[in-house]
Amino acid sequence: MPNSQPAPPPLELSCAAADLTAEMAKWLSHLRAERRLSGKTLEAYARDVRQFLQFLAEHWGGEVTLGRFARLEATDVRAFMAARRADEIAGRSLMRALAGLRSFGRFLEREGKGRVGALASVRAPKIKKSLPKPLPVAAAKRLADADERAGEERETWVLIRDAAVMALLYGSGLRISEALGLKRRDVPAPGKGDTLIVHGKGNKTRMVPVLQNVLEQIAEYAAACPYNLPPDGPMFVGARGGPLSPRIIQLAMERLRGGLGLPDSATPHALRHSFATHLLSRGGDLRAIQELLGHASLSTTQVYTGIDTERLLEVYNSAHPRA
């Protein structure tokens, strides 16, 4: 279906003709307006297509036109993938690049600008599946304790704030961007509610439960915060009163894992992994965990069953009496 959104001005690409860059601009506008992809995903897709067009211009020895692009061959795509591998680009990045190119190709087909079958005929690179690394329950709880950083030369309210954010990541399984995107009005006072409305990827909203002790930590932070926290403003603010940067929480985690003897895999996102793994290990339903995490596909959530299986095998191997 043709895009009804007004086309943005053509992109400036020295390696591509105006007709092709105009279609690329329309495609990005379509992804933003219809698919509602995040800004970071759009930026990555645009960068991948630019790199491909730059490669083709050198590979073919001239400017890439829309007509020439529509006659793309599988060997051209494979040559690009091989060049990227030679630059030591990871398999996951190559997979994303191919996904972006295929999306662009499908868009051109829907717009009646030719068929780019070569993009669909090339296999995506295989990537090694890496299981998330959850934290032990005791370690996750200590990360959410402001007293663990009592010796640091930082204002008390900052330590309370960081602990409240980490408690929220572990207690509700939020992404760090979701936690820091909460408005003051989104967070109920202790005893006044037990759910949060979270804005996740693709601007999708979902309802997640929140523990009363987590709400108490957030209320303690709000009381200690020297800045006004209006209902429409961010719940968590930085040292100067503006929105809190994810990097601040990442740095706080780095300091904490050093003091607690945790591995480098102990990141803010690991608290989300821990939330899912600990729920599953205590009999949580996989579909319910999918909803809580905001995963679009159950297959994304099923990675946690692999973690749980590993844990069960460890228990079996260590505890089962040998014959």
Side-chain angles (χ1 to χ4, degrees):
M1 178 178 175
N3 181 19
S4 60
Q5 296 292 324
L11 300 172
E12 294 182 5
L13 288 174
S14 59
C15 59
D19 57 356
L20 184 55
T21 54
E23 293 304 321
M24 183 177 170
K26 291 179 184 177
W27 167 62
L28 292 171
S29 177
H30 165 75
L31 293 180
R32 180 173 52 251
E34 302 297 330
R35 295 282 305 281
R36 299 176 70 184
L37 296 186
S38 69
K40 288 184 178 179
T41 301
L42 286 171
E43 184 180 328
Y45 272 16
R47 182 172 60 250
D48 290 333
V49 174
R50 285 193 188 96
Q51 290 171 343
F52 185 49
L53 295 178
Q54 289 167 353
F55 170 82
L56 290 178
E58 296 177 5
H59 187 59
W60 291 339
E63 186 180 63
V64 185
T65 64
L66 180 58
R68 182 69 181 88
F69 188 80
R71 298 192 301 275
L72 193 69
E73 296 182 2
T75 53
D76 300 320
V77 184
R78 293 192 188 100
F80 170 70
M81 302 293 278
R84 298 296 285 160
R85 284 194 192 93
D87 290 336
E88 299 184 351
I89 302 301
R92 194 172 296 276
S93 295
L94 289 173
M95 180 178 286
R96 185 205 62 216
L98 187 57
L101 293 173
R102 286 172 173 171
S103 172
F104 185 38
R106 289 192 299 270
F107 175 80
L108 292 177
E109 290 184 14
R110 288 195 300 269
E111 294 288 303
K113 304 296 183 180
R115 298 183 63 83
V116 193
L119 292 170
S121 66
V122 175
R123 287 185 178 182
K126 292 183 178 180
I127 59 173
K128 183 179 179 181
K129 290 186 178 179
S130 58
L131 294 176
K133 295 179 174 59
L135 301 168
V137 174
K141 289 181 177 179
R142 290 182 69 184
L143 287 167
D145 185 351
D147 290 340
E148 293 289 343
R149 296 172 60 196
E152 293 186 23
E153 294 182 359
R154 283 175 172 76
E155 294 181 75
T156 301
W157 78 270
V158 169
L159 302 181
I160 298 173
R161 176 202 66 194
D162 294 351
V165 173
M166 292 184 197
L168 191 54
L169 299 180
Y170 178 54
S172 296
L174 303 188
R175 300 177 179 94
I176 189 169
S177 59
E178 294 170 344
L180 301 189
L182 290 170
K183 303 292 186 184
R184 175 69 187 273
R185 65 169 182 264
D186 297 330
V187 183
K192 299 295 185 180
D194 55 8
T195 59
L196 300 171
I197 301 298
V198 176
H199 299 276
K201 287 186 175 181
N203 290 326
K204 295 179 181 178
T205 60
R206 69 182 190 278
M207 180 182 292
V208 298
V210 59
L211 300 170
Q212 289 301 308
N213 64 324
V214 174
L215 292 178
E216 289 168 3
Q217 281 189 260
I218 296 174
E220 182 184 2
Y221 144 72
C225 180
Y227 299 104
N228 180 40
L229 300 174
D232 291 335
M235 181 72 248
F236 299 104
V237 298
R240 297 182 179 179
L244 180 59
S245 166
R247 184 57 184 154
I248 299 300
I249 301 301
Q250 291 165 353
L251 289 172
M253 180 72 102
E254 287 178 15
R255 289 188 289 268
L256 270 167
R257 71 178 179 230
L260 297 177
L262 297 173
D264 291 345
S265 59
T267 63
H269 204 64
L271 289 169
R272 174 173 158 88
H273 294 321
S274 304
F275 164 84
T277 305
H278 297 164
L279 280 182
L280 186 63
S281 67
R282 285 160 175 76
D285 177 72
L286 198 62
R287 284 284 185 186
I289 295 172
Q290 176 195 357
E291 293 293 327
L292 292 173
L293 292 173
H295 286 161
S297 169
L298 184 62
S299 62
T300 307
T301 314
Q302 282 176 327
V303 68
Y304 295 104
T305 63
I307 299 173
D308 199 46
T309 299
E310 284 192 348
R311 186 188 65 82
L312 291 174
L313 287 174
E314 287 178 5
V315 172
Y316 173 82
N317 290 327
S318 63
H320 191 280
R322 298 297 191 267

